[in-house]
Amino acid sequence: MDKTFNVSRFYEPKIKRSEELLHADVKNMDKKRLKEIFETAIFKKDTLAIFNSEGSLPTAFYLESTGGWGTRKLKPVKNFGYRYTTVSYNEEKDTIALFNGVSFPALTMAEDQGGKFAYLNAMKSSKNKDDFDKIHRYLQKNYTALKLQNDVGGSIEGWESEDFYYFLLKKNRREEQIFSFGEDEDNEPAITEIVDIRLEIYGKMYIQTMRKEHVYLPDYIPNGNE
């Protein structure tokens, strides 16, 4: 992916397919067709706009969907572009993107009104501890490490290239097996180690625009002109 990546072109067939499925007449479908629909990932497209934070944030404005529960009745300061979200998906079976051999089942991407890439958030809950290491090694090898603020915490690391900022977030958790009715509960429940991975990629031009517009950004993102 480079800064010319066309977000709308990537999502267009997925959005079209999702709209077809959401408007499908499920009453007259057989079980096989219904199963296919319910197991198909669904995507949506939202309009992004800049709203007045009215003192609730350390910045004057924030960026959000015009269809959000907290913004749908508000008048935006100006429109920004579009956001594409993976609404429903199968964590084990679906793949929308690969990063150094690690599959991601869900993405959120945004573009400005001119169609220029803004940002990407990729999410994954993995039972394979090597997945995080593969992503981390690639970022460490290919990009320049960022020195993040001390109060950000050790779970977030950042890098930069000529056009992008990359941030990798990790959260470890344990998942306990839930017994079904009739199963033997005498044995200790199985514990699975899970790593929640979040990869964020921001276009530097997008960051510059947000800083210029005084729009809120996470504290760990540097100024776009640094």
Side-chain angles (χ1 to χ4, degrees):
M1 188 183 75
D2 60 33
K3 66 179 182 179
T4 66
F5 183 82
N6 193 312
V7 178
S8 59
R9 185 181 300 165
F10 177 78
Y11 275 97
E12 183 177 4
K14 299 173 178 59
I15 297 294
K16 182 179 179 181
R17 178 62 172 158
S18 295
E19 290 177 347
E20 291 173 351
L21 293 177
L22 291 173
H23 291 92
D25 183 7
V26 297
K27 295 180 180 179
N28 298 318
M29 292 183 184
D30 57 28
K31 291 183 179 180
K32 182 179 179 181
R33 178 61 175 150
L34 282 172
K35 186 174 184 294
E36 178 186 346
I37 288 179
F38 289 131
E39 292 182 349
T40 301
I42 299 295
F43 304 87
K44 73 171 182 175
K45 177 181 179 180
D46 291 316
T47 297
L48 286 175
I50 295 174
F51 293 90
N52 195 320
S53 70
E54 298 180 348
S56 62
L57 293 168
T59 57
F61 306 103
Y62 66 98
L63 188 70
E64 187 51 81
S65 163
T66 57
W69 66 269
T71 58
R72 63 186 61 173
K73 295 183 179 180
L74 299 178
K75 183 179 180 179
V77 176
K78 65 168 65 174
N79 286 338
F80 170 77
Y82 303 98
R83 182 177 66 193
Y84 302 82
T85 309
T86 312
V87 179
S88 65
Y89 57 94
N90 186 306
E91 182 76 45
E92 302 293 334
K93 297 179 180 179
D94 289 336
T95 297
I96 189 173
L98 290 168
F99 192 96
N100 197 32
V102 178
S103 64
F104 282 89
L107 288 180
T108 296
M109 299 180 72
E111 63 181 355
D112 66 17
Q113 287 185 310
K116 293 181 180 179
F117 174 88
Y119 65 79
L120 175 156
N121 291 336
M123 290 72 69
K124 180 180 181 69
S125 295
S126 178
K127 298 177 183 178
N128 184 352
K129 64 179 182 180
D130 292 335
D131 283 346
F132 178 84
D133 293 335
K134 286 180 181 178
I135 299 169
H136 187 273
R137 282 196 301 267
Y138 184 89
L139 293 169
Q140 193 75 8
K141 179 181 178 180
N142 291 281
Y143 306 117
T144 303
L146 292 170
K147 186 177 181 181
L148 303 184
Q149 298 180 28
N150 293 331
D151 58 351
V152 169
S155 62
I156 304 175
E157 292 186 71
W159 298 263
E160 67 175 323
S161 64
E162 182 179 356
D163 299 312
F164 300 108
Y165 290 117
Y166 305 82
F167 297 96
L168 186 61
L169 301 83
K170 176 178 71 169
K171 182 178 180 181
N172 296 313
R173 59 184 172 90
R174 307 179 80 188
E175 195 172 86
E176 184 175 307
Q177 176 186 346
I178 299 176
F179 288 103
S180 300
F181 178 76
E183 286 187 320
D184 185 5
E185 300 185 24
D186 292 338
N187 297 324
E188 288 291 326
I191 302 294
T192 302
E193 300 291 338
I194 305 291
V195 180
D196 292 324
I197 302 170
R198 183 181 178 92
L199 174 65
E200 301 178 353
I201 303 176
Y202 295 90
K204 287 188 173 180
M205 291 299 296
Y206 163 75
I207 298 301
Q208 290 179 12
T209 299
M210 295 297 98
R211 298 293 188 196
K212 183 179 178 180
E213 297 284 354
H214 303 288
V215 170
Y216 176 79
L217 291 168
D219 292 340
Y220 50 83
I221 300 178
N223 289 323
N225 55 1
E226 289 185 350

